[in-house]
Amino acid sequence: MQIVTEFEFFARSCEVPGVVDRWRWLNPSIQYFDTAFDLVDCAPEVYEKISMGLKNLKLKCYPTEGIICERNLYFERAKHEQERSGRTYSKEFAFQEELRETLKWVLRNDCEKYV
């Protein structure tokens, strides 16, 4: 039931990544798709106000410079892998691949004792 509930949350959230906290714990790379990173890139002044608590908005993650560097390396590797496989690079495809990996981790974590 937990997996179904979590997947329902993801499917209805209409956002990327839209994953529950437990999925982030099982696969930390999924956090690189969080909208907080878009705020850092596109609206740094808004992100700063949110992170300082000056806006009535909470984010799932608050990227630091270190995490931003890790994320940039992650996307460089994803781009290289997609191009090596003969695909045109797409952040959406990278997200789909990471989501697939996350769901494998969820199933491994929750269903291992039944397999």
Side-chain angles (χ1 to χ4, degrees):
M1 280 307 294
Q2 182 175 1
I3 294 171
V4 171
T5 301
E6 290 171 347
F7 190 78
E8 181 180 28
F9 173 85
F10 166 74
R12 291 180 184 214
S13 70
C14 300
E15 67 177 69
V16 174
V19 297
V20 296
D21 292 336
R22 188 172 77 97
W23 291 12
R24 291 172 188 260
W25 178 79
L26 289 169
N27 182 8
S29 295
I30 199 83
Q31 78 174 338
Y32 296 144
F33 296 90
D34 196 285
T35 55
F37 290 98
D38 296 331
L39 278 173
V40 169
D41 291 342
C42 300
E45 63 287 339
V46 174
Y47 171 75
E48 188 172 337
K49 288 179 181 177
I50 293 169
S51 66
M52 292 172 41
L54 300 176
K55 295 267 185 189
N56 193 18
L57 183 64
K58 300 247 188 265
L59 302 172
K60 286 282 189 176
C61 75
Y62 294 88
T64 63
E65 285 186 37
I67 293 172
I68 291 169
C69 288
E70 290 173 16
R71 178 184 187 253
N72 292 340
L73 289 173
Y74 170 87
F75 281 113
E76 285 177 28
R77 285 191 302 270
K79 181 178 181 181
H80 176 73
E81 281 298 313
Q82 287 180 30
E83 289 173 349
R84 191 176 62 86
S85 299
R87 294 186 205 101
T88 302
Y89 173 72
S90 159
K91 187 176 176 182
E92 290 77 19
F93 183 77
F95 173 68
Q96 291 170 4
E97 288 293 304
E98 203 60 56
L99 180 60
R100 182 178 57 84
E101 286 301 310
T102 303
L103 293 175
K104 283 172 33 180
W105 278 104
V106 168
L107 292 172
R108 251 188 234 126
N109 183 70
D110 293 1
C111 301
E112 186 173 55
K113 60 186 169 197
Y114 302 109
V115 179

